[in-house]
């Protein structure tokens, strides 16, 4: 019965294997998710999704496979209920207090509960608010919505207040992790982690758990071992295009910058406009009176830095190819000359473009920048950043 679900996962682009599917079936056979939709959802997701980029795809495939469960009519539900009595008794012992069980018994048990519900559906006319008998809202009747009863049937309630019947897969909490959509801070961090290279340095301040266990087993007494604290040794130099055609991309570039500052201990950044020229700056409010000469930057940061340019590369081709082509000042040397110098100084370099890749071929300047960077230009998507991080770590 789960084969269509398995096929939908594969069609959605989730690389789920037969082995993972069989593990899921084993979990179902062991009763890990019996009569519990949420438990079933989490069991399936845990067994068959191994990469957080696919969590949103899983939610969509799950909804497509099992949609319609909520559309089953109440009468159909009541007729279809066939729960083992011993299971209901065990669940009652697990979740209900003595007083709550007494209330259920007073009503006549589960069968009586279903029978009473049918009768009240036939008797009741109109909406009922509060109370403890009729089907309505905000009351203590066993039937209705936005209230509470230890053995109740929820009717007409849009969402759960006690998290007992919510469609968790419809929340799609991980939709921003899809590797084909524009980035948010969270999934930028996921991609940037590929660039991490940890080094051991500093004082012995971190507990070496594995070493402690090994030493204790060897010596027969507790022998605590420590090791140097882990630090991210990757050095990153960011050049961020600002202003003009980059204005629509401000939000996502800010998120990239925020994520980068969190991920890397050694991070330096400078702003430029359209193309790299003889001056860059750190404060956009003082871009004209507090510029840093690009030559100074080239001689300050060593070749061990990873150099990343972030910009839409959308400009007049003259701004790249000719002296005096810049649109805000007279540049004595062409922009491509400065970009080549940067690439020679920092061999590990990359250009990240927030413009969707499908539009790159329509802008001549994007093609020029891409050629200058030997095709080391990637789109600002999760998959694009991962591809770029691989380029930088080769």
């Amino acid at each position: 019965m789960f084969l269509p679900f398995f096929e939908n996962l594969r069609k959605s682009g989730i690389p789920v294997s037969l082995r993972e599917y069989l593990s899921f079936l084993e979990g179902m056979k062991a009763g890990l998710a019996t009569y519990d939709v949420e438990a079933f959802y989490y069991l399936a997701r845990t067994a068959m999704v191994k990469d957080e980029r696919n969590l949103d795809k899983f939610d969509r495939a799950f909804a497509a496979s099992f949609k319609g469960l909520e559309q089953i009519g109440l009468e159909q539900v009541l007729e279809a209920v066939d729960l083992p009595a011993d299971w209901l008794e065990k669940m009652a012992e697990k979740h209900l207090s003595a007083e709550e069980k007494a209330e259920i018994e007073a009503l006549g048990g589960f069968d009586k509960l279903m029978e009473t519900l049918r009768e009240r559906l036939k008797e009741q006319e109109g909406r009922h608010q509060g109370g403890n008998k009729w089907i309505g809202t905000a009351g203590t009747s066993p039937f209705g919505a936005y209230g509470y009863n230890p053995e109740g049937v929820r009717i007409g309630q849009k969402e759960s207040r006690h998290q007992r019947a919510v469609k968790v897969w419809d929340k799609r909490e991980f939709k921003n992790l899809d590797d084909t959509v524009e980035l948010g801070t969270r999934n930028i961090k996921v991609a940037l982690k590929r660039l991490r290279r940890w080094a051991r340095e500093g004082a012995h301040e971190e507990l070496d758990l594995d070493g402690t266990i090994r030493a204790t087993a060897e010596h027969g007494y507790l022998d605590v071992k420590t090791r140097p604290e882990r630090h991210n040794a990757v050095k990153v130099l960011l050049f961020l295009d600002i202003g003009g055609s980059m204005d629509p991309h401000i939000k996502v570039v800010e998120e990239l910058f925020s994520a980068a500052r969190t991920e890397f201990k050694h991070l330096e950044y400078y702003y430029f406009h359209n193309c790299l020229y003889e001056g860059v700056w750190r404060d956009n409010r003082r871009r004209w009176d507090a510029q840093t000469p690009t030559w100074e930057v080239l001689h300050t940061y060593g070749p061990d830095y990873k150099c990343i340019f972030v910009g839409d590369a959308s400009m007049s081709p003259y701004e790249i190819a000719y002296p005096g082509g810049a649109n805000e000042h007279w540049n004595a040397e062409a922009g491509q000359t400065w970009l080549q110098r940067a690439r020679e100084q920092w061999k590990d370099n990359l250009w990240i473009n927030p413009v969707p890749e499908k539009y790159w071929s329509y802008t001549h300047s994007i093609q020029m920048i891409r050629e200058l960077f030997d095709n080391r230009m990637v789109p600002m998507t999760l998959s694009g950043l991962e591809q770029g991080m691989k380029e930088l770590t080769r």
Side-chain angles (χ1 to χ4, degrees):
M1 64 178 291
F2 296 120
L3 277 176
F5 176 40
F6 177 67
E7 292 172 356
N8 282 340
L9 292 176
R10 298 294 295 269
K11 291 177 182 177
S12 299
I14 301 175
V16 56
S17 67
L18 182 59
R19 186 179 196 77
E20 291 163 346
Y21 176 64
L22 292 175
S23 296
F24 160 69
L25 294 181
E26 289 176 5
M28 291 298 297
K29 186 177 180 180
L32 298 181
T34 307
Y35 305 119
D36 189 333
V37 176
E38 287 191 33
F40 170 70
Y41 163 81
Y42 284 113
L43 172 62
R45 198 180 81 180
T46 300
M48 293 188 283
V49 180
K50 302 304 180 186
D51 190 324
E52 57 190 343
R53 293 176 303 175
N54 296 319
L55 290 173
D56 183 56
K57 296 176 184 176
F58 173 84
D59 286 347
R60 284 179 284 174
F62 191 99
S65 301
F66 300 107
K67 68 178 180 180
L69 292 178
E70 277 69 29
Q71 278 69 47
I72 298 176
L74 181 62
E75 286 297 323
Q76 293 173 281
V77 173
L78 297 178
E79 292 173 5
V81 168
D82 185 19
L83 300 178
D86 58 342
W87 181 82
L88 286 174
E89 291 174 2
K90 291 179 181 178
M91 291 300 293
E93 292 174 2
K94 181 178 180 181
H95 295 289
L96 302 177
S97 65
E99 293 78 8
E100 289 170 335
K101 286 187 283 186
E103 291 181 26
I104 294 173
E105 291 300 326
L107 189 60
F110 184 79
D111 292 337
K112 184 63 177 178
L113 185 75
M114 295 295 103
E115 180 182 342
T116 304
L117 174 58
R118 288 193 184 91
E119 293 174 356
R120 290 185 187 176
L121 279 172
K122 295 176 182 178
E123 296 173 7
Q124 181 176 332
E125 293 183 0
R127 180 179 180 275
H128 177 68
Q129 173 78 28
N132 59 9
K133 176 182 178 183
W134 294 112
I135 301 167
T137 59
T140 57
S141 164
F143 319 106
Y146 304 104
Y148 185 80
N149 187 283
E151 186 183 329
V153 177
R154 197 184 67 171
I155 301 173
Q157 181 175 330
K158 181 180 179 181
E159 58 188 9
S160 172
R161 294 170 64 229
H162 302 288
Q163 283 72 52
R164 295 180 183 270
V166 67
K167 293 196 300 177
V168 291
W169 61 91
D170 272 351
K171 292 181 181 179
R172 292 184 59 196
E173 295 175 343
F174 300 96
K175 58 186 176 182
N176 68 326
L177 290 177
D178 191 331
D179 62 359
T180 62
V181 301
E182 194 172 88
L183 295 172
T185 303
R186 183 181 182 186
N187 44 351
I188 287 175
K189 289 182 179 181
V190 172
L192 291 181
K193 284 179 181 178
R194 285 193 176 274
L195 192 54
R196 279 185 168 181
R197 183 178 67 233
W198 294 105
R200 300 288 181 184
E201 59 186 21
H204 289 262
E205 298 177 344
E206 183 179 80
L207 173 66
D208 183 357
L209 182 59
D210 293 337
T212 298
I213 293 174
R214 184 167 53 252
T216 300
E218 291 175 352
H219 300 149
Y221 59 85
L222 181 60
D223 188 358
V224 178
K225 297 293 182 181
T226 59
R227 64 187 177 189
E229 186 181 2
R230 296 193 301 177
H231 296 281
N232 195 339
V234 173
K235 297 179 181 179
V236 178
L237 181 60
L238 272 180
F239 288 97
L240 303 165
D241 187 5
I242 194 74
S245 59
M246 279 296 292
D247 286 346
H249 309 294
I250 286 176
K251 183 177 183 295
V252 70
V253 173
E254 285 178 343
E255 291 173 342
L256 174 66
F257 181 58
S258 172
R261 294 191 69 172
T262 302
E263 289 297 318
F264 304 115
K265 180 183 178 183
H266 304 286
L267 173 68
E268 302 292 341
Y269 68 94
Y270 292 94
Y271 294 106
F272 68 97
H273 178 60
N274 283 356
C275 194
L276 185 66
Y277 297 113
E278 66 276 3
V280 291
W281 57 94
R282 287 185 183 272
D283 187 345
N284 286 298
R285 293 170 298 182
R286 302 185 61 196
R287 58 177 297 188
W288 296 115
D289 59 357
Q291 283 195 7
T292 302
T294 306
W295 273 120
E296 182 178 321
V297 178
L298 288 166
H299 290 106
T300 299
Y301 304 103
D304 55 334
Y305 273 80
K306 312 285 187 182
C307 179
I308 302 175
F309 284 82
V310 181
D312 60 2
S314 301
M315 67 196 90
S316 166
Y318 292 99
E319 296 183 59
I320 302 172
Y322 294 97
N327 67 353
E328 292 186 326
H329 73 289
W330 172 265
N331 56 301
E333 294 181 283
Q336 64 183 8
T337 301
W338 288 104
L339 289 175
Q340 288 167 352
R341 287 169 180 162
R343 295 197 66 230
E344 289 171 2
Q345 169 65 5
W346 303 293
K347 300 298 183 183
D348 295 327
N349 53 74
L350 180 72
W351 188 291
I352 300 175
N353 196 330
V355 175
E357 189 173 6
K358 61 183 178 180
Y359 299 124
W360 290 0
S361 60
Y362 301 117
T363 303
H364 184 49
S365 60
I366 293 180
Q367 296 302 315
M368 294 174 67
I369 295 292
R370 195 176 183 185
E371 290 177 9
L372 280 171
F373 276 75
D374 294 333
N375 289 323
R376 301 185 77 169
M377 178 183 285
V378 297
M380 195 175 282
T381 62
L382 185 56
S383 58
L385 278 187
E386 287 193 342
Q387 176 189 341
M389 297 307 102
K390 290 178 182 178
E391 290 284 344
L392 289 175
T393 54
R394 284 182 179 177

